[in-house]
Every structure is written in structure tokens, then in C-alpha cells.
């Protein structure tokens, strides 16, 4: 115990003497004189206060505003899916995927590239519709000339017109959903509700895309059958026919300018 006390006392005396040495030391000559006082022209950093207040609604108008805000956030979350389903993107993406499978291509071109092609083709086709929506809905709403409900109706009208144009020659799905909803037979396009028009348009686009895909498959299936028959006649049954037929498919697709022909026909199928 006496040894530990002496050691502690020696350490205390050492630190006290070290502090006295630093206190008596001076800076070398020529050193810049400093100060610990803050400059009066400098302002301290101001951190804003963040307050969250939750109160009960005092009137039905406040409740309606909260519900509208919730619905708006929901629509914004589903906006990409809605734009995909009510435009020609659905048809373009399915047809491009069909041509990739018909050519027996696994990784080239990647799915992201095909979706990008379908997106910009859709943007090219839908640009007049989007321009009409901007001029009749968004711009007057931002300028304060119309309200939200009127802006929604003005934005809905061009999309409905586009969907009706695509289904002008086939109203089977519209009749189907009208019967399922127990609604009367529509006399004019305005009599068809939007919640009936959208699923009808989606099924119509799926049907058209699959029809185009079947037509694209036919010439490439013929090449597969010819190559498989030749390999079987030569006794090469262990050799996969896809490895031999794929180069011939690519040669045929390039010789007929497949991408240009496919794009042209897709545009013709949409623009009437």
C-alpha cells in the first residue's frame, strides 16, 4: 500500500511540474499572435427548429383535404404503371420481347435495352397526346385558371380519345366489361366509364401484341424446322438445332432490315 501511494504521489507531482513548464513556455520569435475572442462580424450557425403538430380535424373540409392528399400520393405511386398500361408501351414491349425469343437470343439485347426502345417509341407516338394534356390541363392548373377536378377531366380526355382510337375496330372487350358491370349499352364513347375503358384497352393491347408475335414467329419456326430436319437426316441428333439455326435467323433478320421493318409496322399499327 505504501508503494502504490508513493507512486500515485510521484505521478501527481510529475503532471503538476509538466503543467508549470508549459505555462512558462513562450512561442518562438516571429510567431503570429493569436486570440481566442470571436470576430464580431461572424454570425453563429443557426439551426432551424423542426416542429410536427398533429391535430384533430375541425371540419369536414379538413377531412376531405386529408383524403385528397392521400389519394394524390397513391396516384403518384402508381403513376408509372398507369402510364405503361394506358399507352402503347405495352404493345411495343411485348412485341420486342417476342422478336428476341423468336431469334433464340438469350442475353442480347438486354431486357433493359428493349424497354428503353419501347419507352422512346412510346414517347414518340404519344407526344401529341402529352402536349394536349399539358396545354389543356397542367398549364391552366399551374396558372390558377382551373381547379383540380377540371384539370383531371382535361387530362383524361386525350388519353380516352387515344384508347378509343386504338379500339375503334374491336369493341368486344368494352361490351364484355359493360356487361360485367351491369351497365347499359353505350350510345357514344362518352357513355363508357374510364374504369371500364382502361381494362378493355389493356386486354385489347395484349391481344394485338400476341397476334403480332405469332406472325413474327412463323418464318423463324420454319428455319428451325428445316435445320432440325437436316441435322436429323445427317444423324447429328446430339447437336442442338438452335445453335445452327440462330445464325441463319440473324442473317435473315439483317437482310430484310428487321428492326426498321418491325418499327415501321408497329407505328403503322398505332397511327391510323
Amino acid at each position: 500500500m505504501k508503494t502504490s501511494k508513493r507512486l500515485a504521489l510521484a505521478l501527481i507531482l510529475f503532471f503538476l511540474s509538466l503543467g508549470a513548464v508549459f505555462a512558462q513556455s513562450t512561442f518562438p520569435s516571429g510567431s503570429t499572435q493569436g486570440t481566442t475572442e470571436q470576430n464580431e462580424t461572424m454570425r453563429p450557425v443557426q439551426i432551424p427548429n423542426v416542429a410536427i403538430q398533429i391535430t384533430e380535424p375541425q371540419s369536414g373540409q379538413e377531412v376531405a383535404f386529408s383524403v385528397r392528399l392521400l389519394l394524390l400520393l397513391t396516384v403518384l405511386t402508381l403513376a408509372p404503371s398507369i402510364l405503361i398500361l394506358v399507352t402503347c408501351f405495352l404493345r411495343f414491349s411485348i412485341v420486342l420481347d417476342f422478336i428476341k425469343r423468336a431469334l433464340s437470343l438469350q442475353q442480347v439485347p438486354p431486357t433493359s435495352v428493349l424497354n428503353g426502345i419501347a419507352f422512346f417509341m412510346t414517347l414518340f407516338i404519344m407526344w401529341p397526346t402529352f402536349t394536349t394534356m399539358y396545354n389543356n390541363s397542367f398549364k391552366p392548373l399551374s396558372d390558377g385558371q382551373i381547379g383540380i377536378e377540371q384539370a383531371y377531366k382535361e387530362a383524361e380526355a386525350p388519353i380516352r380519345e387515344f384508347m378509343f382510337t386504338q379500339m375503334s375496330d374491336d369493341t368486344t372487350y368494352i361490351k364484355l366489361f359493360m356487361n360485367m358491370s351491369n351497365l347499359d349499352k353505350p350510345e357514344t364513347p362518352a357513355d363508357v366509364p374510364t374504369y371500364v375503358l382502361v381494362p378493355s384497352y389493356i386486354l385489347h393491347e395484349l391481344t394485338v401484341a400476341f397476334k403480332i408475335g405469332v406472325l413474327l414467329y412463323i418464318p423463324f419456326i420454319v428455319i428451325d424446322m428445316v435445320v432440325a430436319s437436316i441435322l436429323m437426316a445427317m444423324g447429328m441428333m446430339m447437336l442442338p438445332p438452335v445453335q445452327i439455326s440462330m445464325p441463319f435467323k440473324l442473317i435473315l433478320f439483317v437482310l430484310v432490315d428487321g428492326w426498321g421493318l418491325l418499327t415501321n409496322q408497329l407505328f403503322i399499327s398505332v397511327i391510323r
Side-chain angles (χ1 to χ4, degrees):
M1 293 293 295
K2 293 183 179 180
T3 305
S4 60
K5 290 182 179 180
R6 290 178 181 178
L7 180 60
L9 183 61
L11 290 174
I12 293 172
L13 293 176
F14 172 75
F15 283 113
L16 289 176
S17 61
L18 188 63
V21 170
F22 278 109
Q24 295 177 2
S25 63
T26 57
F27 288 100
S29 59
S31 300
T32 304
Q33 297 295 328
T35 179
T36 58
E37 296 180 0
Q38 186 177 2
N39 191 354
E40 297 179 356
T41 58
M42 295 182 62
R43 297 180 179 178
V45 179
Q46 296 181 357
I47 301 176
N49 294 327
V50 179
I52 299 176
Q53 186 177 5
I54 300 176
T55 59
E56 295 183 359
Q58 302 298 325
S59 62
Q61 187 175 3
E62 293 183 0
V63 176
F65 176 77
S66 301
V67 173
R68 287 182 180 180
L69 183 60
L70 179 61
L71 293 176
L72 179 61
L73 294 176
T74 304
V75 171
L76 290 177
T77 305
L78 300 176
S81 300
I82 294 174
L83 290 177
I84 287 174
L85 296 178
V86 300
T87 60
C88 53
F89 179 86
L90 184 62
R91 181 186 305 186
F92 290 166
S93 61
I94 293 176
V95 172
L96 291 176
D97 189 70
F98 264 113
I99 194 63
K100 177 182 177 181
R101 296 177 184 273
L103 290 171
S104 302
L105 300 175
Q106 300 298 327
Q107 302 295 332
V108 180
T111 304
S112 58
V113 174
L114 294 179
N115 289 334
I117 296 173
F119 171 75
F120 282 102
M121 290 171 60
T122 303
L123 190 63
F124 177 80
I125 293 293
M126 300 296 298
W127 191 259
T129 303
F130 292 154
T131 303
T132 304
M133 294 173 61
Y134 175 79
N135 293 331
N136 297 342
S137 176
F138 180 78
K139 193 174 185 303
L141 178 64
S142 61
D143 295 339
Q145 300 176 359
I146 59 176
I148 296 179
E149 295 181 357
Q150 183 66 24
Y152 169 75
K153 293 180 180 179
E154 293 294 337
E156 183 186 29
I159 292 292
R160 285 175 55 90
E161 182 180 357
F162 174 79
M163 290 189 287
F164 273 118
T165 302
Q166 300 303 311
M167 293 188 295
S168 59
D169 56 347
D170 186 10
T171 58
T172 304
Y173 295 110
I174 293 179
K175 295 177 181 178
L176 173 64
F177 281 98
M178 292 291 289
N179 292 331
M180 293 172 62
S181 301
N182 295 324
L183 299 176
D184 297 333
K185 182 179 179 180
E187 300 294 337
T188 61
D191 297 334
V192 180
T194 303
Y195 68 87
V196 171
L197 179 61
V198 172
S200 304
Y201 175 76
I202 293 172
L203 294 184
H204 175 268
E205 287 295 290
L206 288 174
T207 303
V208 173
F210 274 72
K211 289 180 180 179
I212 298 175
V214 170
L215 296 177
L216 290 175
Y217 253 103
I218 293 176
F220 300 111
I221 289 177
V222 173
I223 295 177
D224 286 334
M225 293 175 62
V226 172
V227 171
S229 300
I230 293 174
L231 291 177
M232 187 175 295
M234 296 175 64
M236 299 181 180
M237 292 180 293
M238 300 300 295
L239 183 63
V242 177
Q243 294 184 359
I244 306 301
S245 63
M246 185 177 66
F248 292 100
K249 292 179 182 179
L250 294 177
I251 291 173
L252 175 63
F253 190 74
V254 172
L255 288 178
V256 299
D257 189 17
W259 291 115
L261 186 62
L262 179 62
T263 303
N264 186 28
Q265 293 302 316
L266 283 174
F267 284 163
I268 291 176
S269 68
V270 176
I271 301 176
R272 306 180 183 183

